[in-house]
Amino acid sequence: MKMSAAEISQVIKEGELEKRSDNLLQFWKRKTCVLTTDSLNIYADTQKRSKGKELKLQSIKKVDCVERTGKFVYFTIVTTDDKEIDFRCSGEENCWNAVITMALIDFQNRKAIQDFKTRQDNESASPGQQERRMARAP
């Protein structure tokens, strides 16, 4: 999918989010996150932003299991390879789950439009294909 440099670097939301660790004890670790139009970047260090993990929106299947408790909103990001990543955020502020879901929908819509345009361009480039399809139509 081709996107302009402005789209790739556009920051949608930036702030803190807590991620459940993958180890046995499953502690919640505070992370600095930056959501852009094409990825969710997760950094351990708020100042340096080094050793970041990038979770591309194309590798996210859905945002699932949203649960609100008194203080936190818990949600799970499910990737295309069925890996689940648990997060929580403070319930008072604009919560990340909705923003990530909307960014994912926007990304999928842009990808669908791009795929459709590519398919149309390919069909218009080969008129023989169009005639064969028309011949099969009832």
Side-chain angles (χ1 to χ4, degrees):
M1 186 170 149
K2 297 177 185 173
M3 284 190 278
S4 69
E7 282 183 311
I8 291 172
S9 63
Q10 184 181 9
V11 174
I12 299 170
K13 185 172 175 65
E14 188 171 350
E16 288 190 346
L17 192 57
E18 291 185 51
K19 179 183 175 291
R20 187 168 15 206
S21 63
D22 294 332
N23 63 22
L24 183 62
L25 299 175
Q26 296 187 334
F27 290 120
W28 289 100
K29 294 184 180 178
R30 192 169 301 235
K31 305 287 185 177
T32 297
C33 297
V34 178
L35 178 65
T36 65
T37 53
D38 70 334
S39 66
L40 175 63
N41 298 289
I42 304 166
Y43 303 100
D45 189 347
T46 58
Q47 301 300 323
K48 296 178 187 173
R49 290 199 178 170
S50 59
K51 291 187 177 182
K53 290 184 181 179
E54 182 179 45
L55 184 59
K56 294 275 190 190
L57 291 181
Q58 68 189 18
S59 68
I60 297 176
K61 188 188 297 184
K62 62 183 174 176
V63 178
D64 202 10
C65 300
V66 177
E67 181 182 334
R68 181 179 299 271
T69 63
K71 187 176 177 184
F72 293 106
V73 174
Y74 296 85
F75 62 96
T76 302
I77 291 179
V78 181
T79 61
T80 52
D81 57 350
D82 291 326
K83 181 180 174 188
E84 294 182 354
I85 308 167
D86 295 325
F87 292 95
R88 74 179 182 185
C89 58
S90 162
E92 295 93 40
E93 58 189 57
N94 185 8
C95 200
W96 280 85
N97 63 306
V99 179
I100 294 169
T101 300
M102 294 307 292
L104 181 60
I105 290 168
D106 182 57
F107 177 82
Q108 290 170 339
N109 285 343
R110 285 185 286 124
K111 185 176 181 328
I113 290 168
Q114 183 67 37
D115 291 349
F116 177 75
K117 286 180 180 178
T118 302
R119 206 168 39 248
Q120 274 189 326
D121 291 345
N122 290 342
E123 287 176 0
S124 65
S126 57
Q129 290 282 354
Q130 186 69 18
E131 289 173 11
R132 278 188 286 219
R133 255 190 239 121
M134 296 292 263
R136 281 190 254 156

Coordinates of all heavy atoms in Angstrom, one line a residue, residues 69-105:
T69 N -13.3 -1.0 34.6 CA -13.5 -1.2 36.0 C -13.5 0.2 36.6 O -13.5 1.2 35.8 CB -12.3 -2.0 36.6 OG1 -11.1 -1.3 36.4 CG2 -12.2 -3.4 36.0
G70 N -13.4 0.3 37.9 CA -13.5 1.7 38.5 C -12.4 2.6 38.0 O -12.7 3.7 37.7
K71 N -11.2 2.1 37.9 CA -10.0 3.0 37.6 C -9.5 2.8 36.2 O -9.0 3.8 35.6 CB -8.9 2.8 38.6 CG -7.8 3.7 38.5 CD -6.7 3.4 39.6 CE -5.5 4.4 39.4 NZ -4.5 4.1 40.4
F72 N -9.6 1.6 35.6 CA -9.0 1.3 34.4 C -9.9 0.8 33.3 O -11.0 0.3 33.6 CB -7.9 0.3 34.5 CG -6.7 0.8 35.3 CD1 -6.5 0.3 36.6 CD2 -5.8 1.6 34.8 CE1 -5.4 0.7 37.4 CE2 -4.7 2.0 35.6 CZ -4.5 1.6 36.9
V73 N -9.5 1.0 32.0 CA -10.2 0.3 30.9 C -9.2 -0.7 30.4 O -8.0 -0.3 30.1 CB -10.6 1.3 29.8 CG1 -11.1 0.6 28.6 CG2 -11.6 2.3 30.3
Y74 N -9.6 -2.0 30.3 CA -8.7 -3.0 29.9 C -9.1 -3.4 28.5 O -10.3 -3.5 28.2 CB -8.8 -4.3 30.8 CG -8.4 -4.0 32.2 CD1 -9.2 -3.5 33.2 CD2 -7.1 -4.4 32.6 CE1 -8.8 -3.3 34.5 CE2 -6.6 -4.2 33.9 CZ -7.5 -3.6 34.8 OH -7.1 -3.4 36.1
F75 N -8.1 -3.7 27.6 CA -8.4 -4.2 26.3 C -7.3 -5.0 25.7 O -6.2 -5.0 26.2 CB -8.7 -3.0 25.3 CG -7.6 -2.0 25.1 CD1 -6.8 -2.1 24.0 CD2 -7.4 -1.0 26.0 CE1 -5.8 -1.2 23.8 CE2 -6.4 -0.1 25.8 CZ -5.6 -0.2 24.7
T76 N -7.6 -5.8 24.7 CA -6.6 -6.7 24.1 C -6.5 -6.4 22.6 O -7.6 -6.2 21.9 CB -7.1 -8.2 24.3 OG1 -7.3 -8.4 25.7 CG2 -6.1 -9.2 23.7
I77 N -5.3 -6.3 22.1 CA -5.1 -6.2 20.7 C -4.8 -7.6 20.2 O -3.9 -8.3 20.7 CB -3.9 -5.2 20.4 CG1 -4.4 -3.8 20.7 CG2 -3.5 -5.4 18.9 CD1 -3.3 -2.8 20.5
V78 N -5.5 -8.1 19.2 CA -5.3 -9.4 18.6 C -4.6 -9.2 17.2 O -5.1 -8.4 16.4 CB -6.6 -10.1 18.4 CG1 -6.4 -11.5 17.8 CG2 -7.4 -10.2 19.7
T79 N -3.5 -9.8 17.0 CA -2.8 -9.7 15.8 C -3.2 -10.7 14.8 O -4.0 -11.6 15.1 CB -1.2 -9.8 16.0 OG1 -1.0 -11.1 16.5 CG2 -0.7 -8.8 17.0
T80 N -2.8 -10.5 13.5 CA -3.2 -11.4 12.5 C -2.7 -12.8 12.7 O -3.2 -13.8 12.1 CB -2.7 -10.9 11.1 OG1 -1.3 -10.6 11.2 CG2 -3.4 -9.6 10.7
D81 N -1.6 -13.0 13.5 CA -1.1 -14.4 13.8 C -1.7 -14.9 15.1 O -1.2 -15.7 15.8 CB 0.4 -14.4 13.8 CG 1.1 -13.5 14.7 OD1 0.3 -12.6 15.3 OD2 2.3 -13.6 15.0
D82 N -2.8 -14.2 15.6 CA -3.6 -14.6 16.7 C -2.9 -14.5 18.1 O -3.2 -15.1 19.1 CB -4.2 -16.0 16.6 CG -5.3 -16.1 15.6 OD1 -6.0 -15.1 15.4 OD2 -5.3 -17.1 14.9
K83 N -1.9 -13.6 18.1 CA -1.2 -13.3 19.4 C -2.0 -12.2 20.1 O -2.6 -11.3 19.4 CB 0.2 -12.7 19.1 CG 1.0 -12.4 20.3 CD 2.4 -11.9 20.0 CE 3.1 -11.4 21.2 NZ 4.3 -10.7 21.0
E84 N -2.2 -12.3 21.4 CA -3.0 -11.3 22.1 C -2.0 -10.5 23.0 O -1.2 -11.0 23.7 CB -4.0 -12.0 23.0 CG -5.0 -12.8 22.2 CD -6.1 -13.4 23.0 OE1 -6.0 -13.4 24.3 OE2 -7.1 -13.9 22.4
I85 N -2.2 -9.2 23.0 CA -1.4 -8.3 23.7 C -2.4 -7.5 24.6 O -3.3 -6.8 24.1 CB -0.6 -7.3 22.8 CG1 0.2 -8.1 21.8 CG2 0.3 -6.4 23.7 CD1 0.8 -7.3 20.7
D86 N -2.2 -7.6 25.9 CA -3.1 -6.9 26.9 C -2.6 -5.5 27.3 O -1.4 -5.4 27.5 CB -3.3 -7.8 28.1 CG -3.9 -9.1 27.8 OD1 -4.8 -9.1 27.0 OD2 -3.6 -10.1 28.5
F87 N -3.5 -4.6 27.3 CA -3.2 -3.2 27.7 C -4.3 -2.7 28.7 O -5.4 -3.3 28.8 CB -3.3 -2.3 26.5 CG -2.2 -2.5 25.5 CD1 -2.4 -3.3 24.4 CD2 -1.0 -1.9 25.6 CE1 -1.4 -3.5 23.5 CE2 0.0 -2.1 24.7 CZ -0.2 -2.9 23.6
R88 N -3.9 -1.7 29.4 CA -4.9 -1.0 30.2 C -4.6 0.5 30.2 O -3.4 0.9 30.1 CB -5.0 -1.5 31.7 CG -3.9 -1.2 32.6 CD -4.1 -1.8 33.9 NE -3.0 -1.4 34.8 CZ -2.8 -1.8 36.1 NH1 -3.7 -2.7 36.6 NH2 -1.8 -1.4 36.8
C89 N -5.6 1.3 30.4 CA -5.4 2.8 30.4 C -6.3 3.4 31.5 O -7.3 2.7 31.8 CB -5.5 3.4 29.1 SG -7.1 3.2 28.3
S90 N -6.0 4.5 31.9 CA -6.8 5.2 32.9 C -8.2 5.5 32.3 O -8.3 5.9 31.1 CB -6.1 6.5 33.3 OG -7.0 7.4 33.9
G91 N -9.2 5.3 33.0 CA -10.6 5.5 32.6 C -11.0 7.0 32.4 O -11.9 7.3 31.7
E92 N -10.3 7.9 33.1 CA -10.6 9.3 33.1 C -10.3 10.0 31.7 O -11.1 10.8 31.2 CB -9.9 10.1 34.2 CG -10.3 9.7 35.6 CD -9.4 8.6 36.1 OE1 -8.2 8.7 35.9 OE2 -9.9 7.7 36.8
E93 N -9.2 9.7 31.2 CA -8.8 10.3 29.9 C -9.3 9.6 28.7 O -9.9 8.6 28.8 CB -7.2 10.4 29.9 CG -6.6 9.0 29.9 CD -5.1 9.1 30.1 OE1 -4.6 9.7 31.1 OE2 -4.4 8.5 29.3
N94 N -9.2 10.3 27.6 CA -9.6 9.7 26.3 C -8.9 8.4 26.1 O -7.7 8.3 26.0 CB -9.3 10.7 25.2 CG -9.8 10.2 23.8 OD1 -10.5 9.2 23.8 ND2 -9.4 10.8 22.8
C95 N -9.6 7.3 26.2 CA -9.0 6.0 26.2 C -8.5 5.5 24.9 O -9.0 5.8 23.8 CB -10.0 4.9 26.8 SG -9.1 3.5 27.4
W96 N -7.4 4.8 25.0 CA -6.7 4.3 23.8 C -7.5 3.3 22.9 O -7.3 3.3 21.7 CB -5.4 3.7 24.2 CG -4.3 4.7 24.6 CD1 -4.1 5.3 25.8 CD2 -3.3 5.1 23.7 NE1 -3.0 6.1 25.7 CE2 -2.5 6.0 24.4 CE3 -2.9 4.9 22.4 CZ2 -1.4 6.7 23.9 CZ3 -1.8 5.5 21.8 CH2 -1.1 6.4 22.6
N97 N -8.3 2.5 23.6 CA -8.9 1.4 22.8 C -9.8 2.0 21.6 O -9.7 1.5 20.5 CB -9.7 0.5 23.7 CG -10.9 1.2 24.4 OD1 -10.6 2.2 25.0 ND2 -12.1 0.7 24.2
A98 N -10.5 3.0 21.9 CA -11.3 3.6 20.9 C -10.5 4.3 19.8 O -10.8 4.2 18.6 CB -12.3 4.7 21.5
V99 N -9.4 5.0 20.2 CA -8.6 5.6 19.2 C -7.9 4.6 18.3 O -7.8 4.8 17.1 CB -7.6 6.6 19.9 CG1 -6.7 7.3 18.9 CG2 -8.3 7.6 20.8
I100 N -7.4 3.5 18.9 CA -6.7 2.5 18.1 C -7.7 1.8 17.2 O -7.4 1.6 16.0 CB -6.1 1.4 19.1 CG1 -4.9 2.1 19.8 CG2 -5.6 0.2 18.3 CD1 -4.4 1.2 21.0
T101 N -8.9 1.5 17.7 CA -10.0 0.9 16.8 C -10.3 1.8 15.6 O -10.4 1.4 14.5 CB -11.3 0.7 17.6 OG1 -10.9 -0.2 18.7 CG2 -12.3 0.1 16.8
M102 N -10.5 3.1 15.9 CA -10.8 4.1 14.8 C -9.6 4.2 13.8 O -9.8 4.2 12.6 CB -11.1 5.4 15.3 CG -12.4 5.4 16.1 SD -13.8 4.7 15.2 CE -14.1 5.9 13.9
A103 N -8.4 4.2 14.3 CA -7.2 4.2 13.4 C -7.1 2.9 12.6 O -6.8 3.0 11.4 CB -5.9 4.4 14.2
L104 N -7.5 1.8 13.2 CA -7.5 0.5 12.5 C -8.5 0.5 11.4 O -8.3 0.1 10.2 CB -7.7 -0.6 13.4 CG -7.7 -2.1 12.9 CD1 -6.4 -2.4 12.2 CD2 -8.0 -3.1 14.0
I105 N -9.7 1.0 11.7 CA -10.8 1.1 10.7 C -10.4 2.0 9.5 O -10.6 1.7 8.3 CB -12.1 1.5 11.3 CG1 -12.7 0.4 12.2 CG2 -13.1 1.9 10.2 CD1 -13.8 0.9 13.1

